Amino acid sequence: HPWFWEVTAQTPRHGSRPFQVAHIDHTELDIQVRSSSTGKILGKPWVTFMMDAYSRRLLSVYLTFDPPSYRSVMMVLCVCVQRYARLPQSIVVDGGREFHSVYFDSLLARCRCTKKIRPWAKPHFGSVCERLFKTTNDQFIYTLLGNTQTAKRARLLIRAVDPKHHALWMLPDLYTYLCEYAYQVYDQDEHSGIGMTPQAAYLWGMKQGGEREHRRIPYDDRFLKATCTSTTKGTAVVQQGSGVKINYFYYWNNAFRNPEAIKTA
């Protein structure tokens, strides 16, 4: 069958079963978030979605303050394996640098996944995720205090409606309720594009396409290590009180407290 990059009323769905094709994309949420420790305004967080193209079901959601990077991509893959013990057969991404890292490509090769890249400057090819971003804003984000919908019209922005003065959400709480919306509310709401709920479409597709047990990926220590980054040399020196430094970030484990581990690779 020919490959269809977008789903419209005139074209068939992506794939013929769940977990055959999935889309990964990022967007900045229109809401101001405070620090859970100091209460200071930290800005707007980024959300990463992995969406099953056949059933339109949200397979995984990840929320962070970091701009789109390989860390966000790795985390959304981890959440998918944690929830379903598998990854899609094909993953559609855009031309962002985070999707062209050696860590992302090696993990997909390890899990027997195929990466498909959407054409440059063609936003309609990612319309599946773009519509989902708009739906999430309309049904969830714009109902919360601190949303920046009014800030888009700067001339009408006054102190009484300034989202920075109404922000009260912390990142952990926002992530908890965002997952509840994605995995329960949106999942059980009828989707106009497929004429049923994403949950019903997923269950029907799994019944027709089979469970495909050979595609299962155990969420164990081996998989988690495969999602971690590494240095160019492949090793890192344990620094006292800090841990190991990989790509400008420090990582810590209680095993590093052992004096014999200090300054070892």
Side-chain angles (χ1 to χ4, degrees):
H1 298 281
W3 176 264
F4 292 94
W5 289 100
E6 62 176 336
V7 181
T8 64
Q10 290 78 27
T11 57
R13 301 172 180 174
H14 279 213
S16 57
R17 56 180 174 80
F19 281 101
Q20 185 175 3
V21 181
H23 291 255
I24 298 180
D25 207 350
H26 321 269
T27 190
E28 191 176 31
L29 292 181
D30 292 335
I31 187 171
Q32 294 285 347
V33 178
R34 292 186 179 272
S35 170
S36 57
S37 57
T38 64
K40 181 181 178 181
I41 294 288
L42 298 179
K44 297 189 289 186
W46 286 84
V47 66
T48 304
F49 285 155
M50 176 187 283
M51 182 183 190
D52 180 65
Y54 175 83
S55 62
R56 316 296 177 86
R57 192 177 206 183
L58 268 170
L59 301 178
S60 58
V61 177
Y62 180 66
L63 189 67
T64 180
F65 282 115
D66 292 337
S69 66
Y70 65 88
R71 295 182 294 275
S72 302
V73 178
M74 290 296 188
M75 286 303 301
V76 80
L77 294 177
C78 281
V79 174
C80 182
V81 173
Q82 185 181 25
R83 297 187 69 231
Y84 295 98
R86 66 177 63 191
L87 288 176
Q89 184 174 343
S90 299
I91 297 180
V92 181
V93 298
D94 57 21
R97 295 178 57 185
E98 67 274 12
F99 296 118
H100 298 276
S101 67
V102 64
Y103 312 113
F104 182 57
D105 291 340
S106 60
L107 181 62
L108 293 186
R110 182 188 185 97
C111 298
R112 296 173 295 172
C113 297
T114 302
K115 181 176 71 173
K116 294 182 178 291
I117 304 174
R118 301 198 302 262
W120 288 85
K122 301 286 185 179
H124 63 278
F125 283 96
S127 59
V128 175
C129 276
E130 296 298 333
R131 285 195 294 265
L132 178 59
F133 293 150
K134 184 179 184 302
T135 301
T136 303
N137 280 328
D138 293 342
Q139 295 184 357
F140 179 67
I141 297 299
Y142 290 160
T143 64
L144 304 178
L145 286 176
N147 74 82
T148 59
Q149 187 178 14
T150 56
K152 296 180 180 180
R153 305 178 66 181
R155 292 188 176 182
L156 301 180
L157 186 63
I158 59 177
R159 182 180 178 86
V161 296
D162 191 343
K164 293 184 178 180
H165 297 286
H166 294 277
L168 53 82
W169 285 93
M170 315 294 182
L171 189 69
D173 296 332
L174 181 62
Y175 183 50
T176 299
Y177 285 99
L178 178 61
C179 290
E180 182 177 347
Y181 164 78
Y183 301 148
Q184 298 181 25
V185 179
Y186 169 81
D187 196 50
Q188 300 179 24
D189 191 14
E190 183 173 343
H191 195 289
S192 59
I194 57 178
M196 63 178 71
T197 66
Q199 183 187 53
Y202 174 84
L203 296 176
W204 172 257
M206 294 297 290
K207 182 179 180 180
Q208 297 296 315
E211 293 291 337
R212 301 176 186 265
E213 297 290 337
H214 65 285
R215 296 286 304 179
R216 290 198 171 273
I217 303 172
Y219 187 75
D220 53 11
D221 186 65
R222 183 178 180 182
F223 172 77
L224 293 177
K225 288 181 179 179
T227 62
C228 295
T229 61
S230 180
T231 61
T232 55
K233 299 185 298 183
T235 59
V237 178
V238 179
Q239 303 180 25
Q240 184 175 5
S242 300
V244 294
K245 188 176 183 180
I246 302 176
N247 294 341
Y248 308 103
F249 287 90
Y250 283 98
Y251 297 86
W252 177 258
N253 189 284
N254 288 330
F256 298 152
R257 299 182 183 274
N258 188 348
E260 297 181 356
I262 304 300
K263 295 184 179 181
T264 59

